[in-house]
Amino acid sequence: MRESGVYCELIPGTTAWETLRGRAPKALILSGGPASVYEPEAPLCDPAALTSGVPVLGICYGMQLLAHQLGGQVAGSARREYGPARLQVDDAGRLFEDLPPELAVWMSHGDTILKAPPGFRPIAHSANSAIAAIGDDHGRFGIQFHPEVMHTPQGREILSNFLYQVAGCRGLWKPAAFIEEAVLRIREQVGTGKVLCALSGGVDSAVCATLVHRAVPGQLTCLFVDHGLLRRDEGRRVEEVMNRHLGISLASVDASADFLRTLAGVTDPEDKRRRVGAAFIEVFDRAAARLSGVQFLAQGTLYPDVIESTSHDTHHAQRIKTHHNVGGLPADLRFTLIEPLRYLFKDEVRAIGTELGLPDDMVYRQPFPGPGLAVRIIGEVTRQRLETLRAADWIVIDEIKAAGLYRSLWQSFAVLTPLQSVGVMGDGRTYGNVVAIRAVQSEDGMTADWARLPYDVLAKISSRIVNEVPGINRVVYDISSKPPSTIEWE
């Protein structure tokens, strides 16, 4: 919605219509979700919201919910649809205006609509969904596919049609408007208090720090924690970039030994993430104790982190993995959190970073997980395994940049697996580790497709890793998309 220049807010779908009406919405959008409408505890909307006269667009589960609550029939499908599909538009109307009669779309559902509710008519179908879209004459529509993901190429046009042709919205919302609102909210929340910001060097924390600094200049202290789980030379580069471009005082803490002790013997991915999150807070707590009057902790949490971790405001979502800056925080956290980017996606944050004047090498730095290399080492994290992965990862990035592909990829990195395989080096038998290479393309990190890297680039990466990194004798390339896989292996 915001990419189309329309301001939107994310709220629980169970919110009462009386509350919604007070916000004077131009339209309501019901999102997808993992539930089935006929389950006993399936999340439902306030029926008054669906009959209020406000335009409604139901997406995936939202479409099924719209049909179910308005008198249609929904059931489990014998032929599920997960992945790419072809949509045949039977009635273009306002929703599919000026679009081809056949569209490539992305499906991800196990239930299907058997009968449209009274007053609605089917307006599109696919091979496995006789009713893949519905609509009525009052601005209410349902679509079984996901228009918000990059795998639905005309998805933005469909959403724009709903916003402009159906709901009568105007495209006046821009990144500058968000900056102004965020600065005012931070200023109101913080007052004269002091803020400690977790600075990693990535665009999320950089934009977060810049917003806080702009809102309350002189009240922000940035802290960079070297947890020993970073890529090669990253700590030094982070300090240089932060000091040179942001002009914000940056303190550094070397806590690598603490984090290694915390992760010793741990192999479960969720446990790793929770331990890294808890260790982060402990380090910040100690650092804050040396600063007088720090009340707030600023974090660059994004909405995909919130969705995948599930929290109080996404209580009907399904946990995919805990993010250290969302699900890993302790209940007795003594700081008040400031998360100005909590409801933004990465592409929006990059646009805001550009608007704030941050350098391109910071704005377009590939995302790096908060737990760092700990979740790119399958199994136990040790100092030796970290050094092995760091060396392999350096080669991946070096060759990706040399090929001019870095900016075209969402992420590219190496994964150290616990697998060992037989090899031959110097006419002798080896039994070394297997490294996996992951490179994906995405717009917001919610979905991703594996990158079709040139064979010569893959060959050079493989050759260099096997020859330059001790203990590695095999390299494989991950060709899984998200979904069904996640981008990270843990």
Side-chain angles (χ1 to χ4, degrees), residues 333-353:
L333 179 67
R334 71 180 186 87
F335 300 111
T336 298
L337 282 177
I338 299 175
E339 296 177 310
L341 313 178
R342 185 177 180 85
Y343 295 115
L344 298 185
F345 292 87
K346 180 74 73 174
D347 51 334
E348 294 178 302
V349 174
R350 284 178 169 153
I352 290 165

Side-chain angles (χ1 to χ4, degrees), residues 16-30:
W17 169 241
E18 285 303 311
T19 301
L20 295 175
R21 184 165 59 182
R23 302 168 101 104
K26 295 280 287 185
L28 303 175
I29 295 179
L30 311 178

Side-chain angles (χ1 to χ4, degrees), residues 215-230:
V216 288
Q219 297 169 230
L220 171 66
T221 298
C222 286
L223 181 65
F224 171 64
V225 176
D226 184 352
H227 49 28
L229 307 172
L230 299 171

Side-chain angles (χ1 to χ4, degrees), residues 233-246 250 362:
D233 288 342
E234 194 159 48
R236 176 183 57 79
R237 292 201 307 273
V238 164
E239 294 189 51
E240 288 178 355
V241 172
M242 294 299 128
N243 282 313
R244 182 171 73 249
H245 292 293
L246 293 183
L250 176 65
M362 183 185 298

Side-chain angles (χ1 to χ4, degrees), residues 155-286:
R156 291 186 182 184
E157 287 85 349
I158 295 169
L159 292 174
S160 291
N161 280 345
F162 176 73
L163 292 172
Y164 297 122
Q165 305 302 329
V166 178
C169 295
R170 297 183 296 165
L172 303 178
W173 192 86
K174 306 296 180 187
F178 170 82
I179 293 171
E180 182 179 345
E181 293 171 8
V183 165
L184 290 175
R185 285 198 301 269
I186 294 168
R187 193 172 292 155
E188 180 180 344
Q189 182 181 4
V190 172
T192 59
K194 293 185 178 180
V195 185
L196 188 62
C197 181
L199 207 56
S200 69
V203 63
D204 307 338
S205 61
V207 169
C208 176
T210 305
L211 287 172
V212 173
H213 180 64
R214 181 172 291 193
V216 288
Q219 297 169 230
L220 171 66
T221 298
C222 286
L223 181 65
F224 171 64
V225 176
D226 184 352
H227 49 28
L229 307 172
L230 299 171
R231 291 172 288 199
R232 182 181 292 179
D233 288 342
E234 194 159 48
R236 176 183 57 79
R237 292 201 307 273
V238 164
E239 294 189 51
E240 288 178 355
V241 172
M242 294 299 128
N243 282 313
R244 182 171 73 249
H245 292 293
L246 293 183
I248 299 173
S249 179
L250 176 65
S252 299
V253 175
D254 183 356
S256 54
D258 295 335
F259 279 83
L260 277 174
R261 281 194 297 271
T262 297
L263 293 169
V266 179
T267 59
D268 179 72
E270 280 292 278
D271 198 12
K272 285 182 185 178
R273 290 177 175 273
R274 284 190 292 267
R275 284 171 180 258
V276 169
F280 254 104
I281 296 303
E282 289 177 11
V283 171
F284 270 85
D285 221 13
R286 291 198 300 266

Side-chain angles (χ1 to χ4, degrees), residues 285-300:
D285 221 13
R286 291 198 300 266
R290 297 193 291 269
L291 302 170
S292 60
V294 173
Q295 303 164 275
F296 300 92
L297 173 63
Q299 291 194 136

